[in-house]
Amino acid sequence: MAAPQDVHVRICNQEIVKFDLEVKALIQDIRDCSGPLGALTELNTKVKEKFQQLRHRIQELEQSAKEQDKESEKQALLQEVENHKKQMLSNQTSWRKANLTCKIAIDNLEKTELLQGGELVRQRRTPKENLAQTSSSITESLMGISRMMSQQVQQSEEAMQTLVTSSRTILDANEEFKSMSGTIQLGRKLITKYNRRELTDKLLIFLALALFLATVLYIVKKRLFPFL
């Protein structure tokens, strides 16, 4: 069963991916916006709300990373936080560019309408077929966004699983290293003890050989020189 902290990290990652995709979709809507300014203002308000939610989730993920007990998991999460921050900055840059493009398009459109009067307004009335195509395109875009979100969530889960597996492998290797260290120390003690015993055995053999030679010399002396 996953720890509450791991569940919170996973939820944060999922929410960050979701808000990031929603921001990208809104920025694309701003690029495609042809006015009026009220529509652009409404889109920008939604983008600001999504950025606030995204920033809040990134801060939560960063706090969770700092609370990790294992240094490897802490560094991995902090790297994810850094990547999310860079992506958010990239989105903000795209947002500013999209606003500039949209405002230029609206200004040009207003100038054209002033020149052509109400004729341009009548030309821009969308037929029913175009409305159906637009609705279909929006549906396909939403389905694409949903698929992207699902893929991002799956990739995040796979990355977390890989991290957990790597951590377990490191812990197992550390335990084996400790076991090998104990075996090596025991072997060192046995070798030292064996060397000491070997030295003792050699000394005893030498003393026994010396006693034997002394006895032989004593016997030979008594046989050959009994008068001594």
Side-chain angles (χ1 to χ4, degrees), residues 70-128:
K70 297 179 181 179
E71 186 64 22
S72 58
E73 295 181 0
K74 177 180 178 181
Q75 293 301 324
L77 286 177
L78 287 176
Q79 184 59 47
E80 287 186 21
V81 170
E82 187 64 25
N83 292 337
H84 289 317
K85 288 182 178 179
K86 290 179 180 179
Q87 185 60 47
M88 186 173 67
L89 289 175
S90 176
N91 287 338
Q92 290 174 340
T93 302
S94 299
W95 180 31
R96 288 192 291 269
K97 291 181 179 179
N99 266 281
L100 180 60
T101 301
C102 182
K103 288 178 180 178
I104 292 174
I106 292 174
D107 289 341
N108 292 334
L109 184 60
E110 289 177 349
K111 291 177 182 178
T112 303
E113 288 178 350
L114 288 174
L115 292 174
Q116 297 182 358
E119 182 180 355
L120 183 60
V121 177
R122 291 190 296 272
Q123 292 176 355
R124 291 181 57 221
R125 289 177 182 172
T126 306
K128 293 182 179 180

Side-chain angles (χ1 to χ4, degrees), residues 199-214:
L199 180 61
T200 303
D201 291 343
K202 288 181 180 180
L203 182 60
L204 290 174
I205 292 172
F206 177 75
L207 292 174
L209 182 60
L211 180 62
F212 173 75
L213 291 175

Side-chain angles (χ1 to χ4, degrees), residues 163-178:
L163 182 60
V164 171
T165 303
S166 300
S167 300
R168 290 176 180 172
T169 303
I170 293 173
L171 289 175
D172 292 340
N174 188 30
E175 292 297 329
E176 291 180 3
F177 177 74
K178 290 180 180 178

